[in-house]
Every structure is written in structure tokens, then in C-alpha cells.
Amino acid sequence: VSDIDPPMAILVRKLASRGALAAEDEAAILALPYVTRTYETRSYLMREGEPAKRFCSVVLSGFACGHLITVRGPRQVVSLHMSGDILNLQNLFLKQADRNVQALTRLDTAEIEREALKALAAERPAVAQALWVDTLVDASVGRSWMVNIGRRDARTRVAHLLCEFATRMKAAGLDEGGGYEIPMTQEQIGDATGLTSVHVNRTLRSLAQNGLVHRGKRYLALTDLGKLSSDAEFNPLYLQPDLSEPAP
Amino acid sequence: VSDIDPPMAILVRKLASRGALAAEDEAAILALPYVTRTYETRSYLMREGEPAKRFCSVVLSGFACGHLITVRGPRQVVSLHMSGDILNLQNLFLKQADRNVQALTRLDTAEIEREALKALAAERPAVAQALWVDTLVDASVGRSWMVNIGRRDARTRVAHLLCEFATRMKAAGLDEGGGYEIPMTQEQIGDATGLTSVHVNRTLRSLAQNGLVHRGKRYLALTDLGKLSSDAEFNPLYLQPDLSEPAP
DNA sequence: CGAAAACTTGACCCAACTCAACGAACGTGG
DNA sequence: CCACGTTCGTTGAGTTGGGTCAAGTTTTCG
């Protein structure tokens, strides 16, 4: 997807990865009406408990995360989003936002009216299926996070998160020169893995000493994804890279 | 749903809670072909990595859980299922099972052929929407579990799990006399909360001393759900009890 | 009735947390 | 373009919640 492609081409790419689309399906997606919008770093796209918005947002560039905050304060990051991801498909049907969504970087989105998307899904079964499959994959990713948070030690946990991030960036076409820059602070990594930022700091130092990650002044990069993957017990099956229809 | 109701009435009840259904929709669900099947305690309904089965299973009675096992051994329970739950909607579209599903008790299910369910969804948009919403709610529940596992202490974690279980049992019509019997061993509770069975044991003792749960010889029951809820920071919003369409 | 599964308890340990201080980079406004 | 507040990262010292190990008891069920 080059810079001069229309924004909806990013959505076509995403949905095509969730199910086979005919040329007419792709044309219909490209014809969707939308409004682009830019969010600054740290700004909220939605907040838990708020009434659902009347549109769904597709990430065009930048990164975002979903998170929830407990009564006593600590926050848990529950999802990460990048180019092509649909941030809030829930808005199609649910009344209230079930989490916060916040920009991790400067973020460009395309907003699609709920009714336009529902109409498209009603007319084009293949598109409806791709959207549905996308929510199934989201749930699968969530299960994988539960395992990560609940049953792995800090080192493996952080490594696993980084592997998932890199793998998804590659799938989204965001790998540049084989390296991956992770757009998260140590505190955010901690919030996504159920650790404190202090411990994430120590864990990253350890990973860097083994050459599994590369740390610059204010960024974190991955180079040797292979070695990191085996340390992380990373098996990308749960990301459902191959979604072609099961044999009848 | 009384004992003499047809098995598919359980599915009707479930889907009606996920979106408004017309009388024709309900009739079409009741007309679905199915095969009932019984699983013994501890038997597996599906295994991670296996090719997806050609049918979806609806729980008629009993309980099941989904779980994943890490390379090093520890297991994480990622979902709980009871009467009315659809165990494996993924089978409609995905090629491989992304987790294990195992019976917690003796379990009766109705198996519906994938193609029959897809055909129903294609013909009846309201049913398709209810099924889709069901997967959205599953994902929402998963996020709530991440918070529980990642950011709460043992006592709150266990209490939260019990509250969710009781709340869902009530929604499924399984509350008898206001009490709830939890069909999980302490080890399974540990696997669902990211704790060890030893620590679950101590935690339950503590909850029982405060009168928040009631323990018999080999079962665990909840009586004072209100007090337990506040100790657990339990907010049932994420279970989406009220799913009526958002205003246009 | 015997074996397996589930529960219980105690003693000890350690991975990760807390607290605290400081330094480096960023960005914003004057 | 510099000053200064804010965010982010780093490191050390001390603590603790929950894990580990191990032994024994109770319950279930074939």
C-alpha cells in the first residue's frame, strides 16, 4: 500500500487477510464514505462506560492501545492496534464502550459511519464474514494474552509481547529494513504484561545483554526475531495468519 | 426453559439475549438440525492446533472450560462455558482450533453442522447479528479476564472470578434458591486466575472466614453475592447484560 | 475396598514489587 | 534558541505476595 493509495485500501488489505474478497467486494469497501481524523499522542478515542460512538475507526497510521483501569489504580493494556486495525467494531452493535482506547503515537484514522458499514455487511456477505472473522481473531489474541500474563515469567512475557508486535507489524507491512521499532514506553509494556515499569526496565536490560533486543536512547528495536521467538515460546498460530476457508 | 423444552430452545434463549429476534428467527433456530452428545468429566471437545471440526457445539447442561498450555507446563484457563454457550463458533470460519476445550463436569451438547448454521445466518440477518454479537461479548469478557489476571491480588482475583461465574449462571437460569455451586476444583480456579492451587486454597479459606463464600466438603457455594461483588471490584458491565440496539 | 483425585497445612524461598532518588531527553513557550 | 517543566528511563536497597516443596488427610468412584 503506497502513500498515494486511498485510505480505504488499507481496510481492503486487512479484510482480504480475514477472508477471500471478490473484486466487487473490494470495490464496495473502497467506495465506503469516511472522514479522516488525527489524534495526538496520549489522546483518547473512547472511554470505558461511555455510550458507543456512531462510527468505527480504522487505523491509517500510528499506533493505539486499549486499556482498562482497576478501582485501585493499576491499568491493564488489553489490546494493541496498528495500521489496518479496526478499533471499535463493537460500536456496530453494543451500547457502551467496554474499555478505553488511547493513541500511543500520533494517529491517523478513517471514521466510517456505523450504518454505512452495517449496510455494506448486509449487501456483501464476504465482507460481513471478514469482519466477523476479525472479531474472532481479536478474541483469539486476547486468549493468548491471558496465557502470557497469567503463566509466564517476566522475561518470557515481555519477549512474547515484542514478538507479537513485530509479527503483526510485518503482516501490516510496517517492517522497514527487517527491524521493528516498538512505539511503547516501558510503563506501557508493563501495563500490557502485568508488570511494573521498573521491572520491565530490568527485563529489557537483560534481553539486550543477550542480544535479543536493541535499545537506543529513547526507543526499542528488534533485530533477531528468530532467537527472540524461541525464548518467548512464541507460536504465531493464534494470530491466524492463514485463514482460508476450512475444507467442507 | 423447562426440561421438556427442545434443546434448541436453550440456543434461542441465548441468542435472544444477544439481539432481538423475530418469531420467524426463533422458529428457524428451533428447526436447526442437530445431534446431541454427552461428554464425560475431563474429556476434551477439541484440542489446540487440531483442524477445526465441521460443527459447532451448544452446551445443554454441565460446564466446560477453554484452556491453553505453555511450553513449560503451566496451564491457563481462558474461558468458562455453561448452558446456552456456543463453544466453538470459530469452527464456522477458522481452519484450526486455537485452544483446548474440556468438560468440567458431565456435559450435554447439541452439535450443529457448520453449513447449517452458516445457511441460517445467511438467511436470517438477525440471527447472524446475534451470533456476531456473541463473539464480541466473548472478546469483552476476555479483556476483563486480562485485567483480573494482570492487575489484581489473589483475593480480589478469585472473588472476581466467582462473581462472574455466579452472574452468568443467573443469566443462564442456573441459579437455584439464590445460591451458586461452583463446579471447579481449586486447581482449575488457580488455572483461571493465574494462581497455584495451594494459594487458591488459602485464599478461599480467607474468603470463607469473612463469610463471603461457603465451603462444603467438596463444593464451593456463593450466598452473599453483593458483599463478594464489592470486595471483587466486580462491575458486570463487560458481560453486556443490556444489548438492545444503540439509538440511531 | 483400593486407588486416584482433590484438599489442606506448614516451612521456606524468590521473582517481582515498592520506594526513592536521579539523569536524560523531549517539547513548549517566551 | 534557550530555559524549564514534564515525561521517560535507570539504578539501588529493602520488602512481600505468592510460589515451591513436601507430607498428610479426605472424598470420590470404579
Side-chain angles (χ1 to χ4, degrees), chain A residues 144-165:
Chain A
S144 175
W145 281 45
M146 285 183 229
V147 177
N148 204 40
I149 298 166
R151 289 302 188 200
R152 289 201 258 255
D153 65 20
R155 186 188 163 87
T156 317
R157 248 188 258 188
V158 171
H160 196 279
L161 178 77
L162 298 178
C163 284
E164 175 181 319
F165 213 132

Side-chain angles (χ1 to χ4, degrees), chain B residues 157-174:
Chain B
R157 248 188 256 189
V158 171
H160 197 278
L161 179 77
L162 298 178
C163 284
E164 175 183 319
F165 213 132
T167 303
R168 288 174 55 189
M169 283 175 80
K170 184 164 189 180
L174 297 174

Side-chain angles (χ1 to χ4, degrees), chain A residues 183-229:
Chain A
M184 298 174 76
T185 66
Q186 295 181 359
E187 185 171 19
Q188 288 159 351
I189 292 173
D191 286 345
T193 50
L195 300 167
T196 59
S197 62
V198 172
H199 203 61
V200 169
N201 183 289
R202 301 195 229 266
T203 303
L204 287 176
R205 193 208 305 165
S206 153
L207 289 172
Q209 276 165 0
N210 295 25
L212 298 177
V213 305
H214 190 258
R215 295 195 299 164
K217 288 297 173 194
R218 195 83 159 213
Y219 67 93
L220 175 64
L222 310 187
T223 42
D224 190 352
L225 192 52
K227 178 76 173 70
L228 193 60
S229 291

Side-chain angles (χ1 to χ4, degrees), chain A residues 36-242:
Chain A
T36 59
R37 183 154 172 190
T38 299
Y39 294 88
E40 293 303 320
T41 303
R42 253 165 280 133
S43 62
Y44 278 76
L45 285 78
M46 57 192 255
R47 285 177 190 274
E48 186 193 356
E50 216 174 47
K53 300 218 188 304
R54 292 190 318 286
F55 54 83
C56 294
S57 303
V58 178
V59 178
L60 302 178
S61 70
F63 296 87
C65 72
H67 63 83
L68 286 158
I69 301 179
T70 62
V71 174
R72 282 172 206 145
R75 155 199 313 222
Q76 178 68 45
V77 169
V78 297
S79 57
L80 294 172
H81 303 286
M82 62 189 68
S83 177
D85 288 358
I86 306 165
L87 288 178
N88 38 23
L89 223 34
Q90 294 90 2
N91 288 352
L92 285 184
F93 304 116
L94 304 187
K95 282 176 85 168
Q96 289 183 294
D98 70 331
R99 61 185 160 146
N100 305 291
V101 173
Q102 193 175 13
L104 289 171
T105 62
R106 181 170 243 264
L107 183 75
D108 293 308
T109 64
E111 293 175 351
I112 304 170
E113 287 293 323
R114 185 212 299 153
E115 297 309 324
L117 203 50
K118 282 170 103 158
L120 175 64
E123 277 167 35
R124 304 241 126 234
V127 175
Q129 175 172 326
L131 289 168
W132 188 352
V133 167
D134 195 59
T135 76
L136 288 170
V137 173
D138 275 357
S140 178
V141 171
R143 278 171 222 125
S144 175
W145 281 45
M146 285 183 229
V147 177
N148 204 40
I149 298 166
R151 289 302 188 200
R152 289 201 258 255
D153 65 20
R155 186 188 163 87
T156 317
R157 248 188 258 188
V158 171
H160 196 279
L161 178 77
L162 298 178
C163 284
E164 175 181 319
F165 213 132
T167 303
R168 288 174 56 189
M169 283 174 81
K170 183 163 190 181
L174 297 174
D175 53 329
E176 294 164 13
Y180 304 93
E181 266 195 40
I182 306 298
M184 298 174 76
T185 66
Q186 295 181 359
E187 185 171 19
Q188 288 159 351
I189 292 173
D191 286 345
T193 50
L195 300 167
T196 59
S197 62
V198 172
H199 203 61
V200 169
N201 183 289
R202 301 195 229 266
T203 303
L204 287 176
R205 193 208 305 165
S206 153
L207 289 172
Q209 276 165 0
N210 295 25
L212 298 177
V213 305
H214 190 258
R215 295 195 299 164
K217 288 297 173 194
R218 195 83 159 213
Y219 67 93
L220 175 64
L222 310 187
T223 42
D224 190 352
L225 192 52
K227 178 76 173 70
L228 193 60
S229 291
S230 63
D231 261 48
E233 307 182 356
F234 182 70
N235 178 348
L237 174 69
Y238 70 94
L239 294 171
Q240 304 286 349
D242 181 7

Side-chain angles (χ1 to χ4, degrees), chain A residues 48-49 52 54 68-72 74-79 89-99 114-115 118 121 128-129 131-133 135-147 149-153 156 187 190-196 230-231 233 235 237-238 240 242-248, chain B residues 48-49 52 54 68-72 74-79 89-99 114-115 118 121 128-129 131-133 135-147 149-153 156 187 190-196 230-231 233 235 237-238 240 242-248:
Chain A
E48 186 193 356
R54 292 190 318 286
L68 286 158
I69 301 179
T70 62
V71 174
R72 282 172 206 145
R75 155 199 313 222
Q76 178 68 45
V77 169
V78 297
S79 57
L89 223 34
Q90 294 90 2
N91 288 352
L92 285 184
F93 304 116
L94 304 187
K95 282 176 85 168
Q96 289 183 294
D98 70 331
R99 61 185 160 146
R114 185 212 299 153
E115 297 309 324
K118 282 170 103 158
Q129 175 172 326
L131 289 168
W132 188 352
V133 167
T135 76
L136 288 170
V137 173
D138 275 357
S140 178
V141 171
R143 278 171 222 125
S144 175
W145 281 45
M146 285 183 229
V147 177
I149 298 166
R151 289 302 188 200
R152 289 201 258 255
D153 65 20
T156 317
E187 185 171 19
D191 286 345
T193 50
L195 300 167
T196 59
S230 63
D231 261 48
E233 307 182 356
N235 178 348
L237 174 69
Y238 70 94
Q240 304 286 349
D242 181 7
L243 284 164
S244 54
E245 203 70 4
Chain B
E48 185 194 358
R54 293 189 317 285
L68 286 159
I69 301 180
T70 62
V71 174
R72 281 173 208 147
R75 153 197 317 220
Q76 178 67 46
V77 168
V78 297
S79 58
L89 222 34
Q90 295 90 3
N91 288 351
L92 285 185
F93 304 116
L94 304 187
K95 282 176 84 170
Q96 289 183 294
D98 70 330
R99 61 185 159 146
R114 186 212 297 154
E115 296 309 323
K118 282 171 104 160
Q129 175 172 327
L131 289 168
W132 188 352
V133 167
T135 77
L136 288 169
V137 174
D138 275 357
S140 178
V141 171
R143 277 171 222 126
S144 175
W145 280 45
M146 285 183 230
V147 177
I149 298 166
R151 289 302 188 200
R152 290 200 257 255
D153 65 20
T156 317
E187 185 172 20
D191 287 344
T193 51
L195 300 167
T196 57
S230 63
D231 260 47
E233 309 182 356
N235 178 348
L237 174 68
Y238 71 94
Q240 303 286 348
D242 182 6
L243 283 163
S244 54
E245 203 71 3

